[in-house]
Amino acid sequence: MLLQTVQQHLQEEQRRHYPQASGEFSWLLSGITLATKIIAANVRRAGITADVLGATDTENVQGEVQQKLDVLANHAMMKFLGNRGNVAIMASEEDETPVVVERDRIHGKYVVVFDPLDGSSNIDVNVSVGTIFSVLRREPDPTGQRDIATDVLQPGYKQVAAGYVVYGSSTMLVYTTGNGVFGFTLDPAIGAYLLSHERIVMPDAGKQYSCNEANFDSFPEGYKKYLGLLRSGETGRTYSSRYIGSLVADFHRTLLKGGVFLYPPTKSHASGKLRLLYEANPIAFLAEQAGGVATNGKQRILDIQPTEVHQRTPLCVGSKEEMNLLMKMVN
Ligand SMILES: O=P(O)(O)OC[C@H]1O[C@](O)(COP(=O)(O)O)[C@@H](O)[C@@H]1O
Ligand SMILES: [Mg+2]
Ligand SMILES: [Mg+2]
């Protein structure tokens, strides 16, 4: 049986849910599938090709030393999204300010925000890394004068699509356009993403919790009590701890197996470490579409009104049962 490619699946989805659709979104998504295939090829060869492993001597706006693969992945996303003809603005973790595609500034329907390479600290040690993206709509800008912040700083519930690619034992694209979550595995033999996980549903409860427990002492009291309760077995469930240190990989496991992933406020990151626009929002959209829950400990991630492109947020995401208990304990 021939598996559906991501383009075939998307066209079928669009026919079902958006009969008027122009095909522009699938053209945009083809830019992301192309860029991520190039990133995947470089991740797979990291170590045998000189210019992929290791750090550059430049820092990004977050004050992090950029890894060579961060820069390569950023170029690939910028190039293959920037030449789609319908993307007016791109905002990346690796660029201080959003990039306007001048040619498409007036008519471009879409804004794409992305984390070109997630899990950078794991690149050199051959542990799963990823790419995360979020797609927003924008109105045409006849004068070309509109403040781009208006188009970029939209709350997460306005996303028209979101997804990630995890470069692990296999390369997988997981995305949603608001009608469920679907997973596609890259078949290296034919170079196509094929439908391997139809309508992913996050289990209502899990057996694993995931957070960087090295920060435990600086977590707010509620989180400490919550983790203590999960460890105690008093919930009637036995939990094990899993933490990869790549958000994409830790979330991918939580999406498929259930449980909870937490990056609470810490001493070094008082408002959390992860970024709202290109990490928390796309992950939250996917989680909710799969029947899970995503908050910053107090409110729904998708309801947060962004004020800065690189703003950070605490992120708590996972199965209904673990998240309901968490919200009771941290509030
Ligand atoms: O090392 P820590 O503090 O646990 O942080 C790990 C987190 O930082 C990140 O690596 C940040 O993302 P980037 O690698 O894209 O900067 C997440 O993937 C991960 O969840
Ligand atoms: Mg990241
Ligand atoms: Mg990154």
Side-chain angles (χ1 to χ4, degrees), residues 78-324:
M78 285 285 172
K79 181 170 179 197
F80 293 108
L81 280 168
N83 69 4
R84 293 291 106 175
N86 56 10
V87 177
I89 305 167
M90 300 178 284
S92 164
E93 176 196 2
E94 300 306 329
D95 293 294
E96 180 149 8
T97 52
V99 173
V100 176
V101 182
E102 284 307 333
R103 187 198 56 190
D104 303 311
R105 182 175 196 143
I106 292 177
H107 300 293
K109 275 189 182 170
Y110 298 106
V111 174
V112 186
V113 293
F114 54 87
D115 177 353
L117 205 287
D118 176 66
S120 307
S121 62
N122 280 325
I123 295 170
D124 292 1
V125 290
N126 203 359
V127 168
S128 299
V129 292
T131 295
I132 314 175
F133 62 90
S134 163
V135 182
L136 300 155
R137 286 293 302 265
R138 72 187 280 272
E139 293 308 314
D141 177 13
T143 63
Q145 300 304 315
R146 189 165 63 226
D147 179 358
I148 55 171
T150 325
D151 291 327
V152 175
L153 301 179
Q154 300 185 45
Y157 66 79
K158 293 235 170 142
Q159 294 174 93
V160 290
Y164 59 80
V165 172
V166 54
Y167 311 106
S169 44
S170 68
T171 297
M172 252 190 90
L173 163 70
V174 174
Y175 88 100
T176 184
T177 58
N179 301 293
V181 177
F182 300 86
F184 301 79
T185 301
L186 182 61
D187 180 339
I190 58 173
Y193 284 106
L194 300 178
L195 183 61
S196 53
H197 296 66
E198 180 129 21
R199 213 161 281 291
I200 301 173
V201 175
M202 190 189 287
D204 284 347
K207 295 192 182 82
Q208 294 161 342
Y209 67 85
S210 181
C211 68
N212 185 342
E213 294 186 87
N215 299 325
F216 184 84
D217 295 343
S218 72
F219 288 165
E221 253 341 283
Y223 290 95
K224 290 181 184 169
K225 287 203 181 98
Y226 175 70
L227 288 166
L229 188 64
L230 294 189
R231 289 189 201 132
S232 72
E234 280 167 39
T235 63
R237 286 175 184 281
T238 310
Y239 288 90
S240 58
S241 167
R242 291 280 184 281
Y243 191 69
I244 297 167
S246 295
L247 170 63
V248 164
D250 281 314
F251 175 70
H252 189 63
R253 183 197 55 248
T254 308
L255 177 68
L256 297 179
K257 298 279 183 197
V260 64
F261 170 86
L262 306 171
Y263 208 110
T266 63
K267 199 163 60 210
S268 51
H269 292 292
S271 46
K273 176 182 180 181
L274 301 171
R275 283 52 60 115
L276 176 63
L277 257 62
Y278 43 79
E279 289 174 322
N281 271 343
I283 294 294
F285 189 19
L286 289 159
E288 289 198 5
Q289 280 290 311
V293 178
T295 76
N296 65 357
K298 294 196 171 38
Q299 77 175 111
R300 184 180 173 232
I301 290 283
L302 298 180
D303 289 340
I304 300 173
Q305 174 56 51
T307 52
E308 289 160 41
V309 175
H310 301 288
Q311 79 184 67
R312 298 175 190 264
T313 177
L315 175 62
C316 313
V317 57
S319 301
K320 286 196 189 83
E321 247 184 64
E322 281 80 12
M323 285 298 296
N324 290 344

